[in-house]
Amino acid sequence: MTDLFDPLELRDTTVPNRVMVSPMCQYSCDARDGRATEWHHVHLGSRAVGGAGLVVAEATAVEKRGRITPEDLGIWNDDQADALARTTRFVKEQGAVPGIQLAHAGRKASTSRPWDGSRPLYPDDGGWEVVGPSGDPWPYEDDDGERVDAPPTREMDQGDIEQVIDSFRTAAERARDAGFEVAEVHAAHGYLLHEFLSPVTNHRAGDYGGDFEGRTRLTREVTEAVREVWPDGKPVFVRISGTDWFDDRESWTVEQSARLADRLAGIGADLIDVSSGGIAPGSWPEQAGPNYQLPLAETVRETSESDIAVGTVGGITTPEQAQAVVANDRADLAIVGRQFLRDPYFGLRAADALDATDEVTGPPQYRRGFGF
């Protein structure tokens, strides 16, 4: 059997192959109500038709102030969950597993969409209050590199923290009832949970700041809350930034990521989705070529004391790459993002290219197009 099309068993859930559609923000709730639209249905459904084993919905806000933009997908009320249910049914009908990424934007909240400039929005301009572990706002810049005024970021108090934990818990319950089979906690890319993890943004004292134990506490408590309400037979993932990419200051590192992976495994997480960066401007590698984040995933996998599964994302653009990741035992899951935007049928195309069409079913309507 071709390794890329070998099923992945996680608890009682079988992912039919090792290709996952990375959660990618669509900023397409045009009514600004957090409800999924026809765009989301077609976006996610077409990737399931296209042969992905696991299709994960974009960063979905667990509370209204946790959105990045007003057009973000949300799951803080029942109407939003109901709007996603038909998509989970369709994804399953194609033989894929539906997943959802649960998220809170933290200090990167309240901005316009990328194609509208990604500018900070004040409350009187359609924005809302921004919160974070500390009172430092995201340092927005204009096209000339000049700093742009942004709404203040309020340091969260204990009540805010408890509300966020409860929001993740109730969002997971809604996602479960909407038919999702994988819940992914978003703790990467400079959003709220990553902001607590990283000393670049977490300047708190007390229980949720300071040392590794304090800075990782919120991510652990959120993951535990999600695990408590998620069915025992279904997996919980956590996406992390494997590193902040800052060697010149105290920051989040891959060694800390491996330590965190062990702690998360101990409270019931099943897979660590290893990305990187996003905590502040410049928090990216100098060069981002093919598989540029794979060494981070490998380090987490090899140095973690647990046997938690690991996925890698970033720069996977060809079937051969994805196959090599799994076949060489470098990661358990090949997580594909932008290539799925370019080619919704990447999974079927991979089966064709790897001479593995007998290992996948594929929709009968499309088989003649892919050598089935």
Side-chain angles (χ1 to χ4, degrees):
M1 193 169 206
T2 306
D3 297 84
L4 188 62
F5 293 96
D6 188 19
L8 177 62
E9 304 286 345
L10 296 168
R11 297 183 179 251
D12 297 333
T13 300
T14 300
V15 180
N17 62 57
R18 305 303 182 94
V19 180
M20 169 178 148
V21 178
S22 185
M24 293 176 283
C25 290
Q26 299 297 295
Y27 311 108
S28 293
C29 299
D30 292 324
R32 297 188 168 191
D33 58 1
R35 283 175 56 90
T37 65
E38 291 299 308
W39 179 270
H40 299 93
H41 184 67
V42 173
H43 168 68
L44 297 169
S46 62
R47 275 75 195 170
V49 169
L54 175 58
V55 179
V56 182
E58 65 198 76
T60 306
V62 299
E63 61 176 29
K64 194 170 184 179
R65 68 179 176 180
R67 295 171 294 167
I68 305 167
T69 78
E71 295 82 11
D72 278 20
L73 197 62
I75 195 163
W76 65 82
N77 65 47
D78 292 341
D79 286 345
Q80 295 162 342
D82 291 344
L84 287 161
R86 74 184 184 111
T87 300
T88 63
R89 288 194 298 270
F90 182 82
V91 168
K92 292 176 189 177
E93 288 169 0
Q94 311 316 308
V97 173
I100 186 170
Q101 186 181 72
L102 303 175
H104 192 299
R107 72 171 188 161
K108 295 175 83 171
S110 193
T111 70
S112 61
R113 294 184 287 195
W115 54 88
D116 293 328
S118 295
R119 59 184 179 85
L121 298 176
Y122 282 83
D124 60 1
D125 193 25
W128 52 90
E129 181 189 45
V130 177
V131 296
S134 305
D136 305 318
W138 177 267
Y140 293 95
E141 297 180 349
D142 61 21
D143 293 339
D144 297 322
E146 298 295 325
R147 285 290 295 271
V148 175
D149 288 337
T153 294
R154 181 174 63 80
E155 181 174 322
M156 295 169 67
D157 60 25
Q158 184 63 33
D160 294 313
I161 290 172
E162 292 173 2
Q163 180 179 332
V164 163
I165 296 169
D166 189 59
S167 293
F168 271 93
R169 179 185 293 107
T170 56
E173 291 175 322
R174 291 191 178 99
R176 175 199 66 203
D177 295 343
F180 288 100
E181 297 187 14
V182 173
E184 178 168 273
V185 174
H186 196 357
H189 299 166
Y191 298 116
L192 183 66
L193 298 186
H194 185 194
E195 292 164 15
F196 271 86
L197 291 174
S198 176
V200 173
T201 45
N202 187 341
H203 310 304
R204 302 172 71 94
D207 293 339
Y208 291 91
D211 60 9
F212 175 87
E213 192 71 17
R215 287 183 286 106
T216 62
R217 181 176 177 180
L218 182 58
T219 297
R220 291 184 283 110
E221 290 182 346
V222 163
T223 303
E224 189 170 19
V226 171
R227 181 71 270 173
E228 285 174 355
V229 299
W230 203 246
D232 288 342
K234 297 180 180 180
V236 170
F237 292 7
V238 182
R239 171 167 278 191
I240 63 171
S241 282
T243 179
D244 286 339
W245 298 108
F246 288 132
D247 296 329
D248 61 345
R249 70 188 88 169
E250 188 181 8
S251 61
W252 185 254
T253 65
V254 70
E255 291 78 17
Q256 293 176 80
S257 292
R259 288 178 63 191
L260 177 61
D262 285 335
R263 299 295 297 275
L264 295 174
I267 56 178
D270 301 285
L271 183 141
I272 303 298
D273 172 353
V274 184
S275 187
S276 71
I279 197 65
S283 178
W284 300 106
E286 292 183 3
Q287 294 184 333
N291 293 339
Y292 72 100
Q293 293 174 146
L294 180 55
L296 300 172
E298 287 184 291
T299 299
V300 170
R301 196 167 190 252
E302 292 169 0
T303 62
S304 169
E305 295 180 2
S306 67
D307 59 355
I308 193 167
V310 171
T312 184
V313 63
I316 300 175
T317 60
T318 71
E320 292 77 15
Q321 263 183 288
Q323 162 69 5
V325 164
V326 179
N328 294 326
D329 204 27
R330 302 181 74 183
D332 300 286
L333 201 57
I335 304 172
V336 181
R338 295 182 188 186
Q339 188 59 30
F340 261 116
L341 296 182
R342 291 184 284 265
D343 180 6
Y345 309 109
F346 176 81
L348 297 179
R349 203 177 304 280
D352 195 7
L354 298 172
D355 196 24
T357 54
D358 59 334
E359 299 173 28
V360 297
T361 303
Q365 298 93 328
Y366 286 11
R367 289 176 189 167
R368 63 186 181 273
F370 292 93
F372 287 84

Short mmCIF file of all heavy atoms in Angstrom, two decimals, residues 23-76:
data_model
loop_
_atom_site.label_atom_id
_atom_site.label_comp_id
_atom_site.label_asym_id
_atom_site.label_seq_id
_atom_site.Cartn_x
_atom_site.Cartn_y
_atom_site.Cartn_z
N PRO A 23 -6.63 24.03 7.84
CA PRO A 23 -7.63 25.09 8.02
C PRO A 23 -7.11 26.40 7.47
O PRO A 23 -6.02 26.86 7.83
CB PRO A 23 -7.81 25.14 9.55
CG PRO A 23 -6.60 24.48 10.12
CD PRO A 23 -6.11 23.50 9.11
N MET A 24 -7.89 27.01 6.58
CA MET A 24 -7.47 28.25 5.92
C MET A 24 -8.62 29.26 5.96
O MET A 24 -9.71 28.99 5.45
CB MET A 24 -7.05 27.98 4.47
CG MET A 24 -5.78 27.15 4.36
SD MET A 24 -5.36 26.72 2.66
CE MET A 24 -6.53 25.37 2.35
N CYS A 25 -8.38 30.41 6.58
CA CYS A 25 -9.41 31.43 6.72
C CYS A 25 -9.93 31.87 5.35
O CYS A 25 -9.15 32.12 4.43
CB CYS A 25 -8.87 32.63 7.47
SG CYS A 25 -8.56 32.32 9.22
N GLN A 26 -11.24 31.97 5.26
CA GLN A 26 -11.88 32.40 4.02
C GLN A 26 -12.46 33.81 4.13
O GLN A 26 -12.75 34.44 3.11
CB GLN A 26 -12.99 31.42 3.64
CG GLN A 26 -12.49 30.01 3.40
CD GLN A 26 -11.52 29.92 2.24
OE1 GLN A 26 -11.88 30.16 1.10
NE2 GLN A 26 -10.27 29.59 2.55
N TYR A 27 -12.65 34.32 5.34
CA TYR A 27 -13.16 35.68 5.55
C TYR A 27 -14.40 35.94 4.69
O TYR A 27 -14.50 36.96 4.04
CB TYR A 27 -12.08 36.72 5.22
CG TYR A 27 -10.74 36.46 5.85
CD1 TYR A 27 -9.65 36.02 5.10
CD2 TYR A 27 -10.54 36.65 7.22
CE1 TYR A 27 -8.41 35.79 5.68
CE2 TYR A 27 -9.31 36.41 7.81
CZ TYR A 27 -8.25 35.99 7.04
OH TYR A 27 -7.02 35.76 7.63
N SER A 28 -15.35 35.01 4.73
CA SER A 28 -16.44 35.05 3.77
C SER A 28 -17.83 34.99 4.39
O SER A 28 -18.80 34.65 3.71
CB SER A 28 -16.27 33.92 2.76
OG SER A 28 -15.12 34.13 1.96
N CYS A 29 -17.95 35.32 5.67
CA CYS A 29 -19.27 35.48 6.27
C CYS A 29 -19.70 36.93 6.03
O CYS A 29 -19.55 37.80 6.89
CB CYS A 29 -19.23 35.18 7.77
SG CYS A 29 -18.73 33.49 8.16
N ASP A 30 -20.19 37.17 4.83
CA ASP A 30 -20.42 38.55 4.41
C ASP A 30 -21.48 39.26 5.22
O ASP A 30 -21.51 40.49 5.29
CB ASP A 30 -20.77 38.58 2.92
CG ASP A 30 -19.59 38.19 2.05
OD1 ASP A 30 -18.45 38.54 2.42
OD2 ASP A 30 -19.78 37.52 1.03
N ALA A 31 -22.39 38.51 5.86
CA ALA A 31 -23.38 39.14 6.74
C ALA A 31 -22.79 39.50 8.10
O ALA A 31 -23.47 40.09 8.94
CB ALA A 31 -24.57 38.21 6.92
N ARG A 32 -21.54 39.14 8.32
CA ARG A 32 -20.82 39.44 9.56
C ARG A 32 -21.50 38.84 10.78
O ARG A 32 -21.47 39.39 11.89
CB ARG A 32 -20.64 40.95 9.74
CG ARG A 32 -19.80 41.58 8.64
CD ARG A 32 -19.47 43.02 8.91
NE ARG A 32 -18.43 43.51 8.00
CZ ARG A 32 -17.80 44.67 8.14
NH1 ARG A 32 -18.09 45.47 9.16
NH2 ARG A 32 -16.87 45.04 7.28
N ASP A 33 -22.13 37.68 10.58
CA ASP A 33 -22.82 37.01 11.66
C ASP A 33 -22.17 35.69 12.06
O ASP A 33 -22.69 34.96 12.90
CB ASP A 33 -24.28 36.76 11.27
CG ASP A 33 -24.42 35.91 10.00
OD1 ASP A 33 -23.39 35.50 9.43
OD2 ASP A 33 -25.57 35.68 9.57
N GLY A 34 -21.02 35.38 11.45
CA GLY A 34 -20.31 34.15 11.78
C GLY A 34 -20.90 32.90 11.20
O GLY A 34 -20.40 31.79 11.44
N ARG A 35 -21.96 33.01 10.41
CA ARG A 35 -22.62 31.83 9.84
C ARG A 35 -21.95 31.40 8.54
O ARG A 35 -21.62 32.23 7.68
CB ARG A 35 -24.10 32.12 9.56
CG ARG A 35 -24.98 32.11 10.79
CD ARG A 35 -26.40 32.55 10.44
NE ARG A 35 -26.96 31.71 9.39
CZ ARG A 35 -27.64 30.59 9.59
NH1 ARG A 35 -27.83 30.15 10.83
NH2 ARG A 35 -28.15 29.89 8.59
N ALA A 36 -21.77 30.09 8.40
CA ALA A 36 -21.21 29.54 7.17
C ALA A 36 -22.14 29.84 6.00
O ALA A 36 -23.36 29.86 6.14
CB ALA A 36 -21.00 28.04 7.31
N THR A 37 -21.55 30.05 4.85
CA THR A 37 -22.29 30.39 3.64
C THR A 37 -22.11 29.30 2.58
O THR A 37 -21.42 28.30 2.81
CB THR A 37 -21.78 31.72 3.07
OG1 THR A 37 -20.41 31.54 2.65
CG2 THR A 37 -21.84 32.84 4.11
N GLU A 38 -22.69 29.53 1.42
CA GLU A 38 -22.47 28.61 0.30
C GLU A 38 -20.98 28.50 -0.02
O GLU A 38 -20.50 27.44 -0.43
CB GLU A 38 -23.24 29.09 -0.93
CG GLU A 38 -24.75 28.98 -0.80
CD GLU A 38 -25.20 27.55 -0.59
OE1 GLU A 38 -24.81 26.67 -1.39
OE2 GLU A 38 -25.93 27.30 0.39
N TRP A 39 -20.25 29.60 0.15
CA TRP A 39 -18.81 29.56 -0.12
C TRP A 39 -18.12 28.51 0.74
O TRP A 39 -17.33 27.69 0.25
CB TRP A 39 -18.16 30.93 0.11
CG TRP A 39 -16.69 30.88 -0.16
CD1 TRP A 39 -15.70 30.60 0.72
CD2 TRP A 39 -16.06 31.04 -1.44
NE1 TRP A 39 -14.47 30.60 0.10
CE2 TRP A 39 -14.67 30.86 -1.23
CE3 TRP A 39 -16.53 31.31 -2.72
CZ2 TRP A 39 -13.75 30.95 -2.28
CZ3 TRP A 39 -15.60 31.41 -3.75
CH2 TRP A 39 -14.23 31.23 -3.52
N HIS A 40 -18.42 28.51 2.03
CA HIS A 40 -17.78 27.54 2.93
C HIS A 40 -18.18 26.11 2.56
O HIS A 40 -17.35 25.20 2.59
CB HIS A 40 -18.18 27.83 4.38
CG HIS A 40 -17.75 29.18 4.86
ND1 HIS A 40 -18.58 30.29 4.78
CD2 HIS A 40 -16.59 29.62 5.39
CE1 HIS A 40 -17.94 31.33 5.27
NE2 HIS A 40 -16.73 30.96 5.64
N HIS A 41 -19.44 25.92 2.21
CA HIS A 41 -19.92 24.59 1.86
C HIS A 41 -19.17 24.06 0.63
O HIS A 41 -18.71 22.90 0.62
CB HIS A 41 -21.42 24.64 1.58
CG HIS A 41 -22.03 23.31 1.30
ND1 HIS A 41 -22.12 22.30 2.25
CD2 HIS A 41 -22.58 22.79 0.17
CE1 HIS A 41 -22.70 21.23 1.72
NE2 HIS A 41 -22.99 21.50 0.46
N VAL A 42 -19.04 24.90 -0.38
CA VAL A 42 -18.34 24.45 -1.60
C VAL A 42 -16.85 24.31 -1.35
O VAL A 42 -16.22 23.35 -1.80
CB VAL A 42 -18.63 25.43 -2.75
CG1 VAL A 42 -17.78 25.09 -3.97
CG2 VAL A 42 -20.11 25.42 -3.12
N HIS A 43 -16.27 25.25 -0.63
CA HIS A 43 -14.83 25.20 -0.33
C HIS A 43 -14.46 23.89 0.36
O HIS A 43 -13.54 23.18 -0.07
CB HIS A 43 -14.44 26.39 0.53
CG HIS A 43 -13.06 26.29 1.13
ND1 HIS A 43 -11.91 26.35 0.37
CD2 HIS A 43 -12.66 26.12 2.42
CE1 HIS A 43 -10.86 26.22 1.16
NE2 HIS A 43 -11.29 26.08 2.41
N LEU A 44 -15.15 23.56 1.43
CA LEU A 44 -14.82 22.35 2.18
C LEU A 44 -15.27 21.09 1.45
O LEU A 44 -14.55 20.09 1.38
CB LEU A 44 -15.44 22.41 3.57
CG LEU A 44 -14.94 23.55 4.46
CD1 LEU A 44 -15.80 23.70 5.71
CD2 LEU A 44 -13.48 23.36 4.84
N GLY A 45 -16.46 21.15 0.86
CA GLY A 45 -16.99 19.97 0.17
C GLY A 45 -16.17 19.57 -1.03
O GLY A 45 -15.96 18.37 -1.28
N SER A 46 -15.66 20.54 -1.76
CA SER A 46 -14.89 20.21 -2.96
C SER A 46 -13.57 19.54 -2.61
O SER A 46 -13.07 18.69 -3.37
CB SER A 46 -14.65 21.46 -3.82
OG SER A 46 -13.89 22.42 -3.11
N ARG A 47 -12.98 19.88 -1.46
CA ARG A 47 -11.73 19.22 -1.06
C ARG A 47 -12.00 17.79 -0.61
O ARG A 47 -11.15 16.90 -0.79
CB ARG A 47 -11.03 20.02 0.03
CG ARG A 47 -10.14 21.15 -0.48
CD ARG A 47 -10.90 22.33 -0.97
NE ARG A 47 -10.09 23.24 -1.76
CZ ARG A 47 -10.60 24.26 -2.46
NH1 ARG A 47 -11.90 24.47 -2.47
NH2 ARG A 47 -9.81 25.05 -3.16
N ALA A 48 -13.18 17.54 -0.04
CA ALA A 48 -13.55 16.16 0.28
C ALA A 48 -13.75 15.36 -0.99
O ALA A 48 -13.29 14.22 -1.11
CB ALA A 48 -14.81 16.15 1.14
N VAL A 49 -14.44 15.94 -1.96
CA VAL A 49 -14.57 15.30 -3.27
C VAL A 49 -13.20 15.04 -3.87
O VAL A 49 -12.96 14.02 -4.52
CB VAL A 49 -15.41 16.18 -4.22
CG1 VAL A 49 -15.35 15.68 -5.65
CG2 VAL A 49 -16.86 16.25 -3.75
N GLY A 50 -12.26 15.96 -3.61
CA GLY A 50 -10.94 15.89 -4.21
C GLY A 50 -9.97 14.93 -3.58
O GLY A 50 -8.78 14.92 -3.92
N GLY A 51 -10.43 14.10 -2.64
CA GLY A 51 -9.60 13.02 -2.16
C GLY A 51 -8.87 13.22 -0.85
O GLY A 51 -8.12 12.33 -0.43
N ALA A 52 -9.07 14.34 -0.18
CA ALA A 52 -8.44 14.52 1.13
C ALA A 52 -9.05 13.56 2.14
O ALA A 52 -10.26 13.30 2.13
CB ALA A 52 -8.61 15.96 1.61
N GLY A 53 -8.23 13.04 3.04
CA GLY A 53 -8.74 12.16 4.07
C GLY A 53 -9.38 12.91 5.22
O GLY A 53 -10.32 12.42 5.85
N LEU A 54 -8.86 14.08 5.50
CA LEU A 54 -9.34 14.91 6.60
C LEU A 54 -9.48 16.34 6.10
O LEU A 54 -8.52 16.91 5.58
CB LEU A 54 -8.37 14.83 7.78
CG LEU A 54 -8.62 15.73 9.00
CD1 LEU A 54 -10.00 15.48 9.60
CD2 LEU A 54 -7.54 15.49 10.06
N VAL A 55 -10.66 16.91 6.24
CA VAL A 55 -10.95 18.27 5.78
C VAL A 55 -11.27 19.11 7.00
O VAL A 55 -12.28 18.87 7.68
CB VAL A 55 -12.12 18.30 4.79
CG1 VAL A 55 -12.40 19.72 4.33
CG2 VAL A 55 -11.82 17.40 3.59
N VAL A 56 -10.42 20.10 7.30
CA VAL A 56 -10.58 20.88 8.53
C VAL A 56 -11.04 22.30 8.19
O VAL A 56 -10.38 23.01 7.42
CB VAL A 56 -9.28 20.91 9.34
CG1 VAL A 56 -9.48 21.69 10.64
CG2 VAL A 56 -8.82 19.49 9.65
N ALA A 57 -12.16 22.68 8.78
CA ALA A 57 -12.69 24.03 8.60
C ALA A 57 -11.75 25.04 9.24
O ALA A 57 -11.05 24.76 10.22
CB ALA A 57 -14.08 24.14 9.20
N GLU A 58 -11.78 26.21 8.69
CA GLU A 58 -10.90 27.31 9.09
C GLU A 58 -11.00 27.68 10.57
O GLU A 58 -11.91 27.23 11.27
CB GLU A 58 -11.27 28.55 8.29
CG GLU A 58 -12.66 29.08 8.60
CD GLU A 58 -13.17 30.00 7.51
OE1 GLU A 58 -13.57 29.50 6.44
OE2 GLU A 58 -13.17 31.21 7.73
N ALA A 59 -10.09 28.52 11.02
CA ALA A 59 -10.12 29.06 12.38
C ALA A 59 -11.51 29.63 12.65
O ALA A 59 -11.92 30.62 12.05
CB ALA A 59 -9.05 30.14 12.54
N THR A 60 -12.23 28.99 13.56
CA THR A 60 -13.63 29.32 13.82
C THR A 60 -13.73 29.91 15.22
O THR A 60 -13.36 29.26 16.21
CB THR A 60 -14.49 28.05 13.69
OG1 THR A 60 -14.26 27.46 12.40
CG2 THR A 60 -15.96 28.36 13.83
N ALA A 61 -14.17 31.15 15.29
CA ALA A 61 -14.13 31.89 16.55
C ALA A 61 -15.06 31.29 17.59
O ALA A 61 -16.24 31.04 17.32
CB ALA A 61 -14.48 33.35 16.30
N VAL A 62 -14.53 31.10 18.80
CA VAL A 62 -15.32 30.53 19.88
C VAL A 62 -16.12 31.59 20.63
O VAL A 62 -17.03 31.27 21.40
CB VAL A 62 -14.43 29.74 20.87
CG1 VAL A 62 -13.73 28.58 20.15
CG2 VAL A 62 -13.42 30.65 21.56
N GLU A 63 -15.78 32.85 20.42
CA GLU A 63 -16.58 33.95 20.93
C GLU A 63 -16.46 35.12 19.97
O GLU A 63 -15.53 35.19 19.16
CB GLU A 63 -16.18 34.35 22.35
CG GLU A 63 -14.76 34.83 22.52
CD GLU A 63 -14.47 35.30 23.95
OE1 GLU A 63 -15.11 34.78 24.90
OE2 GLU A 63 -13.63 36.18 24.13
N LYS A 64 -17.42 36.02 20.05
CA LYS A 64 -17.52 37.08 19.05
C LYS A 64 -16.26 37.93 18.99
O LYS A 64 -15.78 38.30 17.92
CB LYS A 64 -18.75 37.94 19.33
CG LYS A 64 -19.15 38.85 18.19
CD LYS A 64 -20.50 39.50 18.44
CE LYS A 64 -20.94 40.34 17.23
NZ LYS A 64 -22.28 40.95 17.47
N ARG A 65 -15.70 38.26 20.14
CA ARG A 65 -14.49 39.09 20.15
C ARG A 65 -13.25 38.30 19.77
O ARG A 65 -12.15 38.86 19.67
CB ARG A 65 -14.31 39.74 21.52
CG ARG A 65 -13.97 38.76 22.63
CD ARG A 65 -13.78 39.45 23.97
NE ARG A 65 -13.54 38.47 25.03
CZ ARG A 65 -13.34 38.80 26.31
NH1 ARG A 65 -13.36 40.07 26.67
NH2 ARG A 65 -13.14 37.87 27.22
N GLY A 66 -13.39 37.00 19.54
CA GLY A 66 -12.26 36.17 19.14
C GLY A 66 -12.06 36.10 17.64
O GLY A 66 -11.19 35.36 17.17
N ARG A 67 -12.86 36.85 16.88
CA ARG A 67 -12.69 36.86 15.42
C ARG A 67 -11.46 37.69 15.02
O ARG A 67 -11.11 38.65 15.69
CB ARG A 67 -13.92 37.47 14.75
CG ARG A 67 -15.20 36.68 14.90
CD ARG A 67 -16.39 37.49 14.40
NE ARG A 67 -16.62 38.67 15.23
CZ ARG A 67 -17.41 39.68 14.90
NH1 ARG A 67 -18.04 39.67 13.74
NH2 ARG A 67 -17.55 40.71 15.73
N ILE A 68 -10.85 37.31 13.91
CA ILE A 68 -9.80 38.15 13.32
C ILE A 68 -10.46 39.32 12.61
O ILE A 68 -10.08 40.48 12.80
CB ILE A 68 -8.94 37.34 12.32
CG1 ILE A 68 -8.36 36.10 12.96
CG2 ILE A 68 -7.83 38.22 11.75
CD1 ILE A 68 -7.78 35.11 11.96
N THR A 69 -11.45 39.02 11.78
CA THR A 69 -12.17 40.04 11.01
C THR A 69 -13.67 39.88 11.24
O THR A 69 -14.13 38.83 11.72
CB THR A 69 -11.89 39.90 9.49
OG1 THR A 69 -12.70 38.81 8.96
CG2 THR A 69 -10.42 39.63 9.21
N PRO A 70 -14.46 40.89 10.90
CA PRO A 70 -15.91 40.74 11.05
C PRO A 70 -16.50 39.63 10.20
O PRO A 70 -17.60 39.15 10.50
CB PRO A 70 -16.45 42.12 10.58
CG PRO A 70 -15.31 43.06 10.78
CD PRO A 70 -14.08 42.26 10.48
N GLU A 71 -15.79 39.21 9.16
CA GLU A 71 -16.30 38.19 8.25
C GLU A 71 -15.86 36.77 8.61
O GLU A 71 -16.06 35.83 7.84
CB GLU A 71 -15.88 38.51 6.82
CG GLU A 71 -16.48 39.78 6.25
CD GLU A 71 -15.75 41.05 6.66
OE1 GLU A 71 -14.62 40.95 7.22
OE2 GLU A 71 -16.28 42.15 6.43
N ASP A 72 -15.26 36.60 9.78
CA ASP A 72 -14.78 35.27 10.19
C ASP A 72 -15.92 34.32 10.51
O ASP A 72 -17.01 34.73 10.95
CB ASP A 72 -13.90 35.39 11.44
CG ASP A 72 -12.49 35.79 11.12
OD1 ASP A 72 -12.26 36.33 10.02
OD2 ASP A 72 -11.60 35.60 11.97
N LEU A 73 -15.65 33.04 10.33
CA LEU A 73 -16.57 31.99 10.73
C LEU A 73 -16.61 31.92 12.25
O LEU A 73 -15.59 32.13 12.93
CB LEU A 73 -16.08 30.66 10.16
CG LEU A 73 -17.04 29.48 10.09
CD1 LEU A 73 -18.23 29.80 9.19
CD2 LEU A 73 -16.30 28.25 9.57
N GLY A 74 -17.79 31.63 12.80
CA GLY A 74 -17.92 31.53 14.25
C GLY A 74 -18.72 30.32 14.66
O GLY A 74 -19.46 29.72 13.87
N ILE A 75 -18.59 29.97 15.93
CA ILE A 75 -19.38 28.87 16.49
C ILE A 75 -19.70 29.18 17.95
O ILE A 75 -19.64 28.31 18.82
CB ILE A 75 -18.68 27.50 16.28
CG1 ILE A 75 -19.65 26.35 16.52
CG2 ILE A 75 -17.38 27.41 17.08
CD1 ILE A 75 -19.21 25.02 15.96
N TRP A 76 -20.05 30.45 18.20
CA TRP A 76 -20.43 30.84 19.55
C TRP A 76 -21.94 30.79 19.77
O TRP A 76 -22.42 31.11 20.87
CB TRP A 76 -19.87 32.22 19.90
CG TRP A 76 -20.43 33.36 19.09
CD1 TRP A 76 -21.61 34.03 19.31
CD2 TRP A 76 -19.83 33.99 17.96
NE1 TRP A 76 -21.78 35.03 18.38
CE2 TRP A 76 -20.70 35.03 17.54
CE3 TRP A 76 -18.63 33.79 17.27
CZ2 TRP A 76 -20.42 35.86 16.46
CZ3 TRP A 76 -18.36 34.61 16.18
CH2 TRP A 76 -19.23 35.62 15.79
#
